[in-house]
Amino acid sequence: MAQAAAARLITKIVDAQAARGSASVVLTGGRNGNGLLAALSSSPARDAIDWGRLDLWWGDERFLPEGDPERNYTQAKEALLDAVPLDPARVHAMPASDGPYGNDADAAAEAYAAELAAAAGPEDHGDVPTFDVLMLGVGPDTHVASLFPELPAVRETERTVVGVHGAPKPPPVRVSLTLSAIRAAREVWLLAAGEDKAKAAAIALSGAGEVQAPAAGAYGRSRTLWLLDAAAASQLPPELYPPAVS
């Protein structure tokens, strides 16, 4: 799944750069997101991307000190970013807990929201750039980014970035895009590989509400793409994933 998704992402970035001169991608962390970045790093086709004309954003971040190995940004640097010639000014990491906002996750979220708004142009019709691709890992509980079922962040409709407190998955304090910001993307890709993601994929694709199943509320302006391996797709309703005909 990671290799197939990486190949698809390379093509999407190259096409966007050819059409508009640059591309913007929102990265996701976790097992599936980091696996995709590692696959992209090892792909011979990666050199087709003009890395200096690529903006990178994050869908969420664990609110930990700079360089902490659990931060999505730290893991992304190890998997890909340190190996390619990115423009540092176009790599938009979320603030760390030892940064200018201290341990105030809400202030860090406001700062990231302001950075997004500053990057948005008149053509974006809002406070978030129209990302070319926004990637999300799907958690076993159907969470995406750091939007967990039933928590206040998944109900947010006004702000584009929020501090998350009391997350059921450690660490409990995080910063996350909201569903409204996620939906600003041209394309939203949801990544799920492994048997532990099968129930979540089935729930999210079976008409569940977004408060109970945040992955169900993640969709793009022009396209929403679920990238699953066979194990993660094993519990999908037959009408969504009909058996192969021999």
Side-chain angles (χ1 to χ4, degrees), residues 13-25 48-56 85-87 90 132:
I13 292 171
V14 170
D15 287 350
Q17 289 179 335
R20 291 180 289 279
S22 63
S24 62
V25 173
I49 294 172
D50 184 340
W51 294 97
R53 293 191 293 130
L54 177 64
D55 281 286
L56 294 179
L86 292 159
D87 177 354
R90 302 183 80 159
D132 291 296

Side-chain angles (χ1 to χ4, degrees), residues 6-240:
R8 189 183 290 267
L9 182 60
I10 291 169
T11 299
K12 182 59 61 174
I13 292 171
V14 170
D15 287 350
Q17 289 179 335
R20 291 180 289 279
S22 63
S24 62
V25 173
V26 179
L27 301 182
T28 186
R31 182 181 75 215
N32 294 158
N34 291 324
L36 185 153
L37 294 183
L40 201 164
S41 180
S42 63
S43 171
R46 80 178 199 191
D47 292 336
I49 294 172
D50 184 340
W51 294 97
R53 293 191 293 130
L54 177 64
D55 281 286
L56 294 179
W57 302 87
W58 270 262
D60 74 320
E61 186 56 276
R62 296 157 175 143
F63 199 53
L64 297 167
E66 186 70 31
D68 189 289
E70 292 300 309
R71 271 176 60 84
N72 289 335
Y73 176 62
T74 305
Q75 295 174 3
K77 280 171 61 65
E78 294 173 356
L80 172 67
L81 307 191
D82 286 345
V84 292
L86 292 159
D87 177 354
R90 302 183 80 159
V91 178
H92 307 275
M94 287 183 166
S97 63
D98 58 351
Y101 311 101
N103 62 358
D104 188 340
D106 297 318
E110 289 180 14
Y112 204 68
E115 189 173 353
L116 285 165
E123 71 279 4
D124 294 315
H125 307 294
D127 293 331
V128 179
T130 305
F131 312 114
D132 291 296
V133 176
L134 184 148
M135 295 183 290
L136 297 166
V138 179
D141 60 354
T142 72
H143 84 265
V144 290
S146 284
L147 304 177
F148 293 89
E150 304 286 356
L151 289 192
V154 78
R155 304 174 186 270
E156 177 64 45
T157 58
E158 299 296 327
R159 293 175 290 174
T160 58
V161 190
V162 292
V164 176
H165 305 272
K169 179 181 178 181
V173 181
R174 297 154 175 257
V175 176
S176 181
L177 298 189
T178 61
L179 286 176
S180 62
I182 288 169
R183 293 167 185 163
R186 289 185 176 87
E187 298 194 9
V188 169
W189 297 4
L190 296 108
L191 314 175
E195 188 176 351
D196 61 324
K197 306 297 180 74
K199 184 177 179 180
I203 291 171
L205 287 167
S206 297
E210 63 192 37
V211 173
Q212 295 75 29
Y219 49 84
R221 288 187 177 189
S222 63
R223 191 182 196 199
T224 306
L225 182 66
W226 281 75
L227 294 164
L228 310 173
D229 68 355
S234 62
Q235 295 184 33
L236 293 185
E239 62 269 22
L240 292 177

